[in-house]
Amino acid sequence: MKLIPNFAELLHEIKLPSPEKCFLIEVGDEKYIEKWIRDGEIACDLETLFEWINIEYKLKKNNLTNKEKQISEDIKKRFPIDQWRVIKIFSDHQKKYRYYKKAIQDVKNRTTPRMNEQAIMTIFSPGWGINT
């Protein structure tokens, strides 16, 4: 599993996709996470996937058999076990920022500097588009 090639560009342009779409499945990954892949993409929440990987492949255990150790090492090489949280934080933060920015812009478009508080609050009533 690897990070999408244009991640840095999308990060700076504030256009990151959902955390799950920030990663590409590589050949051989499906062997380990087949149940979480649909149409070549991650089909669950990123946190769910990595929690499952940690439990399923005993990544936090010390007393593993030789075979389990080999699988664990391969998992750690293939998947961003320690880095996925940072990608999720960046992506989630941008999504919130975009939505927040859109709401603020919508309010600015619907108000004037002379509107009183009660008039401004009517903007948020159903039918105005912000919370419908």
Side-chain angles (χ1 to χ4, degrees), residues 64-76:
L64 301 175
T65 66
N66 284 338
K67 184 178 180 179
E68 289 171 332
K69 284 180 189 176
Q70 287 176 327
I71 292 171
S72 177
E73 289 304 314
D74 194 30
I75 292 290
K76 289 175 183 176

Side-chain angles (χ1 to χ4, degrees), residues 3 17 24 29-30 56 67 74 77 84 103 117 123 125-126 128:
L3 201 55
L24 300 174
D29 290 347
E30 65 279 348
E56 181 71 17
K67 184 178 180 179
D74 194 30
K77 288 177 188 173
W84 69 268
E117 183 179 323
I123 294 166
S125 64
W128 276 88

Side-chain angles (χ1 to χ4, degrees), residues 26-83:
E26 295 183 289
V27 174
D29 290 347
E30 65 279 348
K31 170 182 168 183
Y32 297 107
I33 59 170
E34 180 178 33
K35 87 182 237 181
W36 303 104
I37 299 174
R38 202 167 292 123
D39 297 326
E41 294 183 347
I42 299 170
C44 66
D45 179 74
L46 204 59
E47 190 169 348
T48 302
L49 173 64
F50 281 97
E51 284 177 4
W52 180 84
I53 288 173
N54 273 308
I55 293 167
E56 181 71 17
Y57 297 108
K58 305 172 187 173
L59 299 184
K60 296 185 180 184
K61 301 271 185 189
N62 291 329
N63 55 345
L64 301 175
T65 66
N66 284 338
K67 184 178 180 179
E68 289 171 332
K69 284 180 189 176
Q70 287 176 327
I71 292 171
S72 177
E73 289 304 314
D74 194 30
I75 292 290
K76 289 175 183 176
K77 288 177 188 173
R78 286 187 166 278
F79 300 96
I81 300 300
D82 298 324
Q83 298 84 12

Side-chain angles (χ1 to χ4, degrees), residues 91-130:
S91 180
D92 287 347
H93 174 74
Q94 281 195 3
K95 187 175 9 173
K96 283 182 188 177
Y97 177 72
R98 277 194 302 256
Y99 294 148
Y100 175 75
K101 184 177 179 179
K102 183 178 178 187
I104 295 301
Q105 190 60 44
D106 196 31
V107 170
K108 284 180 181 179
N109 291 341
R110 294 170 191 261
T111 61
T112 68
R114 290 170 289 178
M115 288 182 84
N116 66 28
E117 183 179 323
Q118 190 168 0
I120 290 172
M121 291 311 291
T122 63
I123 294 166
F124 295 100
S125 64
W128 276 88
I130 290 192

